[in-house]
């Protein structure tokens, strides 16, 4: 039996990852049991101890916190575990290549001519948000685009977090012309707030998300986003844990990063027409336009949120 801990099973990203875990575990002769931790370190510890008391063979953790000592404690106790979605130095993990995905976003927005780009970075304890943000900032810096600290906003990984962060960004004297949200649900909240502010998404403000959840291409304005292999991620995590349990791997930690690709839709580039289609895919950060930036779309006056 494999125990699985996730922050929120209602999150389509985590539920898709769990489907991959369960599918691969079944093929390998294992059953799975999943517990919801609400992204709380205390709840993570409590749920993990409960699963271990039920004699699970090992754990797959989708809720790793950068500042938590719990992973080191599990290692000291000899508990087999693998991290999924989020990574942490020194431990087995299977994730998307979040840094490269962030670079793809930075390159895309710079190539469109944007110079003032807001980033809704998620929570700082999650490697996903940190690496995606770092990749985007590095790509922008390489193109001579400085991103002030006040344009990087931390938020919850959900639509409500996206709404609140977007209001903060759009209240600034010089609001951004583009917003990168480090997951798609946050990006959906961004687009909802921009709609309420009577901004035209893709023309007044470009929006890019991350993960390419199934609804992204079917939104009223299809969402540009970084596609990550969520089902495969879960399956790889299960296979890695079972390999550990069977003694089929070396002692050195294995950190697997699955490739990412940028899917361009109307939310960032209104010249693209992708309604109901997968979108235009960019697999690497291209220099773009021989290094000459094109102009960002002209912005029409927008209604500023109340102070």
């Amino acid at each position: 039996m494999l125990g699985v801990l996730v922050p929120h099973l209602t999150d389509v990203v985590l539920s898709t990852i769990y489907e991959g875990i369960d599918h691969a575990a079944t093929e390998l002769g294992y059953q799975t049991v999943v517990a919801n931790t609400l992204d709380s370190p205390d709840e993570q510890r409590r749920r993990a101890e409960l699963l271990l008391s039920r004699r699970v063979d090992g754990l797959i953790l989708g809720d790793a916190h950068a500042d938590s000592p719990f992973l080191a404690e599990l290692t000291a106790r000899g508990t087999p575990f693998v991290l999924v979605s989020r990574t942490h130095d020194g431990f087995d993990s299977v994730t998307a290549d979040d840094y490269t995905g962030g670079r793809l976003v930075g390159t895309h927005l710079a190539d469109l001519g944007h110079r003032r780009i807001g980033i809704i970075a998620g929570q700082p304890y999650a490697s996903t948000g940190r690496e995606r943000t770092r990749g985007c900032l590095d790509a922008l810096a390489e193109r001579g685009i400085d991103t002030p600290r006040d344009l990087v906003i931390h938020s919850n990984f959900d639509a409500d977090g996206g709404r609140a962060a977007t209001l903060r960004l759009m209240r600034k004297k010089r609001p951004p012309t583009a917003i990168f949200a480090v997951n798609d649900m946050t990006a959906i909240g961004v687009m909802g707030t921009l709609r309420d502010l009577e901004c035209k998404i893709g023309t007044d403000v470009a929006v890019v998300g991350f993960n390419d959840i199934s609804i992204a291409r079917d939104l009223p304005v299809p969402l540009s986003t970084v596609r990550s292999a969520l089902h495969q991620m879960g399956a790889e995590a299960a296979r890695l844990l079972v390999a550990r349990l069977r003694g089929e791997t070396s002692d050195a930690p294995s950190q697997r990063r699955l490739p990412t690709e940028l899917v361009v839709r109307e939310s960032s580039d209104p010249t693209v027409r992708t309604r109901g289609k997968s979108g235009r895919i960019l697999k690497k950060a291209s220099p773009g336009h021989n290094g000459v930036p094109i102009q960002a779309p002209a912005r029409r006056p927008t209604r500023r949120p109340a102070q």
Side-chain angles (χ1 to χ4, degrees):
M1 179 78 74
L2 306 183
V4 184
L5 298 181
V6 298
H8 300 280
L9 261 178
T10 54
D11 185 328
V12 66
V13 171
L14 274 303
S15 62
T16 305
I17 290 172
Y18 175 66
E19 287 177 359
I21 292 171
D22 191 62
H23 179 80
T26 300
E27 288 186 336
L28 293 165
Y30 285 81
Q31 296 298 309
T32 64
V33 58
V34 63
N36 207 25
T37 68
L38 305 179
D39 223 1
S40 161
D42 290 341
E43 194 65 16
Q44 178 196 54
R45 183 184 295 271
R46 190 179 76 82
R47 294 299 182 98
E49 296 293 357
L50 178 61
L51 291 176
L52 292 170
S53 73
R54 303 290 177 88
R55 306 297 184 187
V56 297
D57 297 285
L59 296 171
I60 298 176
L61 308 178
D63 59 349
H65 281 228
D67 54 355
S68 172
F70 187 54
L71 302 182
E73 293 174 18
L74 288 174
T75 300
R77 290 160 55 178
T79 302
F81 69 89
V82 170
L83 308 181
V84 70
S85 181
R86 300 177 188 174
T87 190
H88 195 297
D89 289 343
F91 303 106
D92 288 339
S93 64
V94 183
T95 68
D97 188 346
D98 292 312
Y99 176 79
T100 297
R103 288 186 61 88
L104 288 169
V105 175
T107 298
H108 172 59
L109 294 175
D111 285 352
L112 288 172
H114 295 284
R115 293 297 178 266
R116 190 163 174 82
I117 298 161
I119 301 176
I120 302 179
Q123 294 289 4
Y125 56 69
S127 67
T128 47
R130 293 197 315 274
E131 288 299 291
R132 294 166 190 177
T133 298
R134 185 169 69 89
C136 184
L137 290 173
D138 283 354
L140 294 174
E142 289 170 10
R143 286 155 180 77
I145 301 171
D146 178 57
T147 304
R149 288 186 180 182
D150 67 341
L151 287 185
V152 179
I153 307 290
H154 292 286
S155 76
N156 291 330
F157 294 100
D158 56 21
D160 287 343
R163 292 187 191 99
T166 303
L167 282 173
R168 289 176 60 186
L169 288 170
M170 299 307 291
R171 282 178 176 142
K172 297 186 180 300
K173 290 182 179 179
R174 291 181 57 220
T177 64
I179 296 175
F180 170 39
V182 298
N183 78 353
D184 286 345
M185 289 307 300
T186 304
I188 288 171
V190 171
M191 293 198 293
T193 296
L194 292 175
R195 178 199 61 214
D196 293 344
L197 296 174
E198 299 178 2
C199 294
K200 189 171 182 180
I201 297 164
T203 301
D204 298 332
V205 183
V207 180
V208 182
F210 203 109
N211 282 317
D212 196 24
I213 61 176
S214 58
I215 197 176
R217 70 179 186 177
D218 295 319
L219 293 168
V221 180
L223 176 64
S224 294
T225 181
V226 176
R227 179 177 295 161
S228 51
L230 301 174
H231 191 278
Q232 180 186 353
M233 191 186 304
E236 290 285 337
R239 294 185 188 112
L240 178 57
L241 179 57
V242 171
R244 287 291 191 201
L245 294 171
R246 294 175 176 174
E248 298 172 351
T249 60
S250 67
D251 292 336
S254 173
Q255 296 197 329
R256 303 178 184 176
R257 292 179 174 84
L258 303 183
T260 51
E261 57 190 16
L262 178 66
V263 183
V264 179
R265 301 188 178 106
E266 285 96 315
S267 71
S268 65
D269 186 349
T271 67
V272 176
R273 292 291 178 266
T274 63
R275 185 71 62 84
K277 301 177 183 178
S278 61
R280 180 161 55 89
I281 296 174
L282 303 177
K283 293 191 176 182
K284 60 183 180 180
S286 64
H289 311 290
N290 296 318
V292 180
I294 63 174
Q295 292 297 311
R299 299 182 67 199
R300 63 188 177 89
T302 58
R303 185 164 63 87
R304 186 175 295 278
Q307 300 294 324

